[in-house]
Amino acid sequence: MRRRQRATVVAVAALTAMGLTSCAGWGGGGIGGGGPNTINVLMVNNPQMIDLQRLTAEHFTAETGISVNFTVLPENDVRDKISQEFSSQAGQYDVASLSNFEIPIYAGAGWVAPMDDFIAADPDFDQDDILGPMQTSLSYEDHIYGQPFYGESSFLMYRKDLTDELGLDVPERPTWPEVRELAKALDGAEPGMAGICLRGQPGWGQIFAPLTTVVNTFGGTWFTEDWQAQVDAPEFTEAVNFYVDLVNDYGPSGAPQAGYTECLNNLTQGNVAMWYDSTAAAGTLEADGSPVQGKIGYVAAPVVETESSGWLYSWSWGIQAASEKQDAAWQFVSWASGKEYEELVGEEIGWASVPAGKRASTYDNPQYLEVASAFAEPTKSAIEAADPTNPGVQPRPAIGIQFVGIPEFPDLGTQVSQDVSSAIAGRMSVEDALERGQDLASDVAERYLARKAAE
């Protein structure tokens, strides 16, 4: 108990300080009521979870008799509330939406319940159908603590109509030097068009999502296996210089402020010819009414030293360890992450809205493939190739591809990202940015090791 309490104090401080990209606000339902057949769910406000909220009463509650009270909040707000709720183990919320960054940390702190016994007693859930990297990223010490609602990796998106017109070959597994040559050739292919968009906006979940995958494949790492900081190492420096030069030479204006949304808009509106980012973007690019529908090609995340380099991310379900309604909570998780729920969404909302990226069977479903044929296979291949335990050329001290799976990383990544973004803006050199980052990373490693030694 003493060990868990100390870990809790540190993790709360770090986790409540972190933040990824935020979504526009949605109203929350708020919790209320209770009783043995009522559970409380705390979740992020993205559109697919709003769909889930709409479908629950008519389908899940009607079938099981279990009522669900939802509290729905924007991303940064829900992260804060979940960390406060689960660290206190108040048991007010039975289920929460957690990412594959938080699940192993929460499991180590004893905040979420293992799901192995529920899975074994629920063969219809078909755990083997969950894509392997998702299972790995949601496990801790060989036990499963989370179930994915949807998942994503990263790949290169490019204007196939233009590369065909210009006679440019885009390899199925391009290298970063090849991508640079393509960006050069495509820069100005249409009036005002830049060669490539990459995130430059500060934030550990903004610029360091794609940039850490570039660092990994250039042979760099944030830390060695024994927690020696490597932020100013030659491989890390080479990767960041490559990224900054690529953005400055062939990126759109406003590159230091470009995040996921800005790059999505740039590719959709024809302002850029290529974009390396989340596989989840493809659904928007190929949606009815999109100006670039049918014009985009999708190939694997670019590499240098590694076989693959795509990231791995998932919004998933965790059951609070203190919940007194874990059986009912599992029934909800099993329904929301199950095959039948995907069928329900496809039939009632549309197959383009299915929360994909978690089950192999989704990519064999002809109805889903009918709307996702352009990007389904590249998405599945990207997720299957992602290795959260071995993302680079050297052993890692913690799980994670585009992040280091410790509570201290969000603050570290965000602080370093501010200087790298400044380097893109020309206000400081990459070397100066990473020298400061090395000091910050060394301090984090020292504090992390001291905390672990005291547990």
Side-chain angles (χ1 to χ4, degrees):
M1 177 63 72
R2 188 180 177 191
R3 171 179 176 176
R4 293 286 167 77
Q5 286 174 335
R6 270 199 291 262
T8 295
V9 170
V10 174
V12 168
L15 289 168
T16 53
M18 70 186 189
L20 284 168
T21 54
S22 297
C23 301
W26 288 76
I31 63 169
N37 290 324
T38 300
I39 62 171
N40 297 318
V41 175
L42 179 57
M43 67 183 190
V44 70
N45 68 347
N46 66 48
Q48 288 168 314
M49 289 195 177
I50 300 301
D51 291 340
L52 174 79
Q53 184 181 21
R54 285 201 299 265
L55 294 169
T56 295
E58 184 180 353
H59 297 278
F60 174 73
T61 301
E63 294 169 8
T64 65
I66 299 170
S67 298
V68 181
N69 294 322
F70 288 100
T71 297
V72 187
L73 297 171
E75 184 167 327
N76 287 344
D77 294 339
V78 83
R79 286 179 187 277
D80 288 347
K81 191 170 182 66
I82 290 171
S83 65
Q84 292 165 11
E85 162 70 17
F86 276 51
S87 64
S88 68
Q89 288 294 287
Q92 186 176 14
Y93 291 94
D94 305 286
V95 178
S97 59
L98 297 165
S99 77
N100 56 319
F101 172 77
E102 288 121 343
I103 289 280
I105 295 172
Y106 279 34
W111 299 349
V112 288
M115 296 180 170
D116 307 76
D117 290 345
F118 295 119
I119 295 167
D122 186 1
D124 289 344
F125 181 70
D126 194 0
Q127 180 70 28
D128 291 342
D129 189 42
I130 303 293
L131 296 171
M134 288 294 166
Q135 296 196 47
T136 299
S137 70
L138 298 173
S139 298
Y140 177 77
E141 294 185 342
D142 298 325
H143 296 285
I144 296 173
Y145 284 86
Q147 291 298 342
F149 181 58
Y150 67 75
E152 67 177 48
S153 183
S154 54
F155 54 20
L156 181 70
M157 298 160 271
Y158 66 97
R159 284 286 298 273
K160 191 174 186 306
D161 58 325
L162 295 180
T163 56
D164 288 348
E165 180 181 323
L166 296 172
L168 300 172
D169 178 51
V170 182
E172 289 296 316
R173 301 172 64 81
T175 66
W176 273 112
E178 288 172 336
V179 170
R180 180 178 171 84
E181 289 303 308
L182 286 166
K184 180 180 180 180
L186 289 164
D187 195 56
E190 292 185 346
M193 175 178 280
I196 189 169
C197 197
L198 298 171
R199 300 188 196 186
Q201 190 178 110
W204 72 282
Q206 280 289 0
I207 186 174
F208 267 123
L211 180 51
T212 297
T213 72
V214 179
V215 169
N216 289 337
T217 197
F218 269 74
T221 181
W222 284 85
F223 299 100
T224 61
E225 190 177 25
D226 59 352
W227 291 103
Q228 300 299 307
Q230 298 292 297
V231 176
D232 65 351
E235 297 85 357
F236 203 117
T237 304
E238 181 185 7
V240 177
N241 268 315
F242 177 89
Y243 190 97
V244 170
D245 289 345
L246 182 58
V247 168
N248 282 331
D249 290 346
Y250 305 117
S253 60
Q257 291 80 43
Y260 173 86
T261 302
E262 290 76 13
C263 285
L264 175 62
N265 289 338
N266 277 329
L267 187 59
T268 303
Q269 296 167 7
N271 297 327
V272 299
M274 294 192 295
W275 179 28
Y276 168 62
D277 213 291
S278 168
T279 55
T284 302
L285 296 170
E286 301 294 341
D288 290 342
S290 167
V292 293
Q293 184 186 43
K295 296 180 179 179
I296 305 295
Y298 304 89
V299 294
V303 295
V304 176
E305 298 290 341
T306 57
E307 290 294 320
S308 64
S309 70
W311 71 57
L312 190 69
Y313 191 78
S314 169
W315 274 116
S316 307
W317 305 112
I319 298 174
Q320 185 169 181
S323 168
E324 296 179 351
K325 303 172 187 176
Q326 292 190 9
D327 288 340
W330 169 258
Q331 288 189 63
F332 172 77
V333 171
S334 177
W335 175 74
S337 290
K339 297 178 186 176
E340 291 184 4
Y341 179 74
E342 292 191 357
E343 294 276 347
L344 177 65
V345 172
E347 293 168 359
E348 298 225 352
I349 300 174
W351 285 97
S353 298
V354 165
K358 63 180 183 292
R359 288 188 171 274
S361 58
T362 308
Y363 299 93
D364 293 327
N365 187 317
Q367 294 168 295
Y368 176 71
L369 294 177
E370 187 175 345
V371 302
S373 59
F375 57 87
E377 184 54 39
T379 297
K380 182 187 177 191
S381 296
I383 293 173
E384 289 181 326
D387 186 349
T389 63
N390 186 30
V393 302
Q394 62 282 99
R396 303 301 173 92
I399 195 169
I401 297 176
Q402 73 276 27
F403 54 74
V404 182
I406 60 173
E408 293 85 353
F409 182 74
D411 186 50
L412 169 64
T414 296
Q415 289 190 64
V416 180
S417 74
Q418 291 165 349
D419 286 339
V420 173
S421 185
S422 293
I424 293 175
R427 293 194 293 269
M428 67 189 309
S429 69
V430 167
E431 286 71 18
D432 287 345
L434 298 186
E435 183 179 348
R436 290 167 53 160
Q438 175 72 9
D439 291 340
L440 292 167
S442 297
D443 181 61
V444 162
E446 184 177 339
R447 287 188 282 115
Y448 174 79
L449 291 173
R451 174 166 65 84
K452 297 300 288 185
E455 291 178 1

